[in-house]
Amino acid sequence: MANNMFCYQCEQTAGCTGCTGSVGVCGKTANTSKLQDELIGSLISLALITKEKLFSCKTECSDRITKMILDGLFTTITNVNFNDKKLVEMIQNIKNQKNNMIKFCGLKEVPDYDMNKIWQADEDIRSLKSLILFGLKGIAAYAYHARVMNYKNHEVDLFLVEALCELSKDETVENLMQTVLKTGEINLKCMELLDKANTTEFGKPQPAKVSLTVEEGPFIVVTGHDLYDLKLLLEQTKDKGINIYTHGEMLPAHGYPELKKYPHLKGNFGTAWQNQQKEFANIPGALLFTTNCLMPVKDSYSDRVFTTEVVSYPQVVHINEDKDFTPVINKAIELGGYEKRMEFSGINGGHEVMTGFGHDTVLSVADEVIKAVNDGVIKHFFLVGGCDGARVGRNYYTDFVKATPKDTVILTLACGKYRFNDLNLGEIAGLPRIMDMGQCNDAYSAIKVVNELAKAFNCEVNELPLTLNISWYEQKAVGILLSLLYLGIKNIFLGPTIPAFISKNVLDILVNNYNITPISTPEEDLKKALKIN
């Protein structure tokens, strides 16, 4: 067993510098961290061995290797996999694949890459390689979700291989910075692919009011991001007297017509991911984790937790690729649910929230929005989105939204919205002042709306009356940030902390070129955003 670790990939990392003890703040052990590093090192080796083959063909073998890379990168995202046994199995599968390629394809052997070469490198090189690696993890998550529905992009797949190879090389700051921006470009293409997959399979999101009340009787709470898993579960629970509730990043499912048509998709349970250990305690329903945002499971509900896809936790029942959710269904029936209707609320006391404001919905009223801006009815747009987390001070985002003037619009996405999405801020120009555009997976929607507004006003994005106030937690948020940098978007407020993996010199590059600003107080940041002296 490893005695200590080094990990600084998420926002909650110890002391804003890195987790170095026997257990990380996220709950993973030093041994789990070590195995995750070994897994990434084996993926870099696999990429180096198979790079030319993957670049030259689209074979069954290359598809299998791509899936290994996606699975491996996604598995190492924060709060996905706490299961050492599963990690060892994945490392062995990659080793077997490499041995087969060497034996049957005549390729040269490459030893597994030692990740300490990155962690112990010059701080600026380490910083930029970390940005690339963590961005790749975000890309892998988005590509994984799209691939589940058989949507693939060969350019995305090849870039993952190419970038993994680059991590093993001695590169200059200038070259690595170019790869950082390329990572953002590929992430944008990947998010566009996922948007196409979701809207094709489940329809274009439509605004929907979602109740936070749980009806009496058996129920299952579905959390994570995988809409396809939710659809399969809805199909398997039809006419069984079991209600389905979303949780966390699954909330936007209520806006998709092909999911909303199921009458037993009732509402949303609880708030953001970091509250699950309290909100799930002794819950009389079954819990299905489809992707990341799994916290260490407490005894008070461990017997009713199920995982699927790359999510894994020791001693928890895993639903395999056959997607037979019978164990989840049986557990829900056994537990029986609440004996009476239970009224829950958001963190601000609201009993319902809205979602479903995807790019098609927002752009369908673009003429009205433009007129409202030209008439002075709407003075400013705020995109307040990103991850939620447990760090003290994240109530900043609640206070920021509350303090926004009544002639402004708040666009939001991802789980950071749970800080304020149950607030009733009224309407403006016939639209709710708070419009939830979806999951972190739906960041493409926000980017598309911003670009279309810039076209409509015949200006650059940075000239719009728009402020981005982004909260981050894990590596998918890193991918989104890199996409914003690739697009040249400036004046982003970033919080609640600056990532530990951003060195002073790299931060200077981001500040000087993109005017990225750490958050301060809601009042001061609003003054800056609205240019009030």
Side-chain angles (χ1 to χ4, degrees):
M1 296 287 288
N3 295 320
N4 50 54
M5 64 193 295
F6 175 74
C7 182
Y8 65 170
Q9 69 175 4
C10 76
E11 185 272 333
Q12 68 184 351
T13 194
C16 294
T17 57
C19 293
T20 57
S22 59
V23 180
V25 176
C26 71
K28 71 180 178 184
T29 66
N31 199 61
T32 301
S33 181
K34 171 179 172 290
L35 289 170
Q36 288 183 352
D37 270 1
E38 287 183 14
L39 178 55
I40 296 297
S42 68
L43 290 177
I44 291 174
S45 172
L46 179 65
L48 288 166
I49 288 174
T50 61
K51 177 180 176 180
E52 296 305 323
K53 186 172 184 64
L54 281 167
F55 269 68
S56 63
C57 64
K58 299 180 183 179
T59 64
E60 180 181 343
C61 179
S62 65
D63 193 67
R64 183 168 61 251
I65 292 169
T66 298
K67 188 175 186 312
M68 280 187 169
I69 291 172
L70 293 180
D71 289 0
L73 287 169
F74 194 179
T75 291
T76 62
I77 283 181
T78 306
N79 294 96
V80 172
N81 193 324
F82 294 83
N83 192 337
D84 290 1
K85 182 179 179 182
K86 180 63 178 177
L87 293 170
V88 170
E89 179 185 315
M90 295 181 76
I91 293 168
Q92 185 60 48
N93 287 342
I94 294 169
K95 180 178 180 180
N96 293 341
Q97 178 64 44
K98 290 191 298 182
N99 288 340
N100 287 337
M101 297 290 289
I102 293 166
K103 181 177 180 180
F104 297 109
C105 301
L107 301 179
K108 294 182 179 179
E109 183 173 359
V110 177
D112 287 353
Y113 183 75
D114 181 1
M115 293 299 292
N116 285 318
K117 293 180 180 179
I118 293 178
W119 308 143
Q120 297 172 6
D122 167 84
E123 66 173 350
D124 295 332
I125 299 299
R126 179 179 76 168
S127 180
L128 291 169
K129 286 191 174 185
S130 295
L131 268 173
I132 294 166
L133 174 59
F134 302 155
L136 293 180
K137 292 184 180 188
I139 293 173
Y142 299 131
Y144 184 101
H145 289 302
R147 183 172 282 251
V148 164
M149 294 176 280
N150 205 32
Y151 287 78
K152 305 174 185 178
N153 183 317
H154 195 54
E155 182 182 4
V156 171
D157 298 342
L158 295 183
F159 176 76
L160 289 171
V161 174
E162 188 175 34
L164 283 171
C165 291
E166 185 162 342
L167 291 176
S168 71
K169 300 176 183 176
D170 294 328
E171 289 284 8
T172 64
V173 166
E174 291 74 17
N175 287 344
L176 288 172
M177 192 64 204
Q178 290 302 309
T179 304
V180 165
L181 296 179
K182 183 69 176 180
T183 305
E185 177 187 2
I186 297 300
N187 184 66
L188 184 61
K189 291 182 179 182
C190 193
M191 288 193 297
E192 182 179 11
L193 176 70
L194 180 55
D195 177 79
K196 180 181 178 181
N198 284 337
T199 54
T200 302
E201 296 299 316
F202 310 120
K204 296 176 180 179
Q206 301 169 358
K209 285 186 178 180
V210 183
S211 172
L212 304 182
T213 297
V214 178
E215 304 291 339
E216 64 182 50
F219 67 96
I220 299 170
V221 174
V222 186
T223 190
H225 303 73
D226 202 307
L227 299 175
Y228 188 69
D229 277 337
L230 175 60
K231 183 177 181 179
L232 294 177
L233 180 66
L234 288 166
E235 276 292 320
Q236 293 182 35
T237 51
K238 281 194 305 187
D239 305 319
K240 292 184 181 293
I242 299 174
N243 291 328
I244 307 298
Y245 295 88
T246 55
H247 172 267
E249 288 270 55
M250 200 62 85
L251 168 64
H254 295 274
Y256 287 93
E258 290 302 307
L259 299 175
K260 190 177 179 181
K261 71 181 183 182
Y262 292 91
H264 59 302
L265 179 59
K266 290 291 186 179
N268 192 71
F269 181 93
T271 53
W273 68 272
Q274 77 276 3
N275 300 320
Q276 66 189 254
Q277 291 178 328
K278 178 176 66 175
E279 293 177 344
F280 291 168
N282 301 307
I283 183 175
L287 301 159
L288 176 64
F289 283 82
T290 65
T291 56
N292 57 313
C293 302
L294 170 70
M295 294 183 73
V297 179
K298 297 290 189 180
D299 290 342
S300 61
Y301 59 92
S302 61
D303 65 321
R304 58 211 64 186
V305 171
F306 300 83
T307 59
T308 191
E309 299 297 342
V310 295
V311 190
S312 188
Y313 195 85
Q315 311 305 317
V316 164
V317 176
H318 189 78
I319 305 300
N320 294 316
E321 292 181 359
D322 62 1
K323 295 299 180 182
D324 180 358
F325 291 113
T326 300
V328 190
I329 293 169
N330 288 342
K331 177 57 72 171
I333 294 172
E334 173 194 330
L335 292 168
Y338 292 109
E339 295 181 357
K340 63 178 182 178
R341 174 187 172 100
M342 299 290 289
E343 295 226 358
F344 295 102
S345 64
I347 67 169
N348 300 290
H351 293 287
E352 64 180 18
V353 294
M354 288 200 71
T355 191
F357 290 92
H359 56 81
D360 289 291
T361 294
V362 176
L363 293 176
S364 70
V365 294
D367 291 343
E368 291 94 324
V369 171
I370 292 166
K371 184 178 186 303
V373 173
N374 289 334
D375 291 346
V377 176
I378 296 176
K379 295 288 181 62
H380 205 84
F381 297 89
F382 293 96
L383 174 58
V384 186
C387 312
D388 205 352
R391 186 181 294 276
V392 173
R394 279 185 178 262
N395 58 313
Y396 160 94
Y397 297 99
T398 311
D399 296 339
F400 184 93
V401 169
K402 284 182 177 180
T404 55
K406 293 182 179 180
D407 55 6
T408 61
V409 172
I410 297 95
L411 304 174
T412 189
L413 51 77
C415 61
K417 61 177 169 274
Y418 280 102
R419 293 282 170 170
F420 51 80
N421 68 339
D422 64 322
L423 290 171
N424 183 2
L425 297 188
E427 295 188 347
I428 184 170
L431 296 168
R433 282 194 57 221
I434 298 178
M435 289 186 277
D436 175 17
M437 306 191 78
Q439 303 175 335
C440 64
N441 292 9
D442 298 310
Y444 175 76
S445 265
I447 291 171
K448 183 165 185 176
V449 166
V450 168
N451 282 331
E452 292 301 317
L453 285 176
K455 290 179 185 177
F457 286 109
N458 194 29
C459 68
E460 298 296 323
V461 168
N462 293 315
E463 297 173 328
L464 286 169
L466 168 73
T467 298
L468 277 67
N469 196 335
I470 306 299
S471 58
W472 82 283
Y473 174 75
E474 42 91 306
Q475 296 77 63
K476 286 185 288 181
V478 175
I480 293 170
L481 177 63
L482 299 188
S483 291
L484 296 175
L485 299 183
Y486 160 71
L487 291 169
I489 295 176
K490 298 182 179 181
N491 306 314
I492 299 170
F493 289 87
L494 182 63
T497 61
I498 294 298
F501 49 83
I502 301 294
S503 69
K504 182 183 182 302
N505 289 332
V506 171
L507 180 60
D508 286 344
I509 292 172
L510 299 181
V511 171
N512 292 335
N513 289 281
Y514 303 98
N515 196 30
I516 285 183
T517 304
I519 62 170
S520 58
T521 67
E523 296 76 18
E524 287 301 314
D525 292 345
L526 274 171
K527 286 181 182 179
K528 291 178 186 176
L530 297 172
K531 294 182 172 61
I532 297 174
N533 297 318

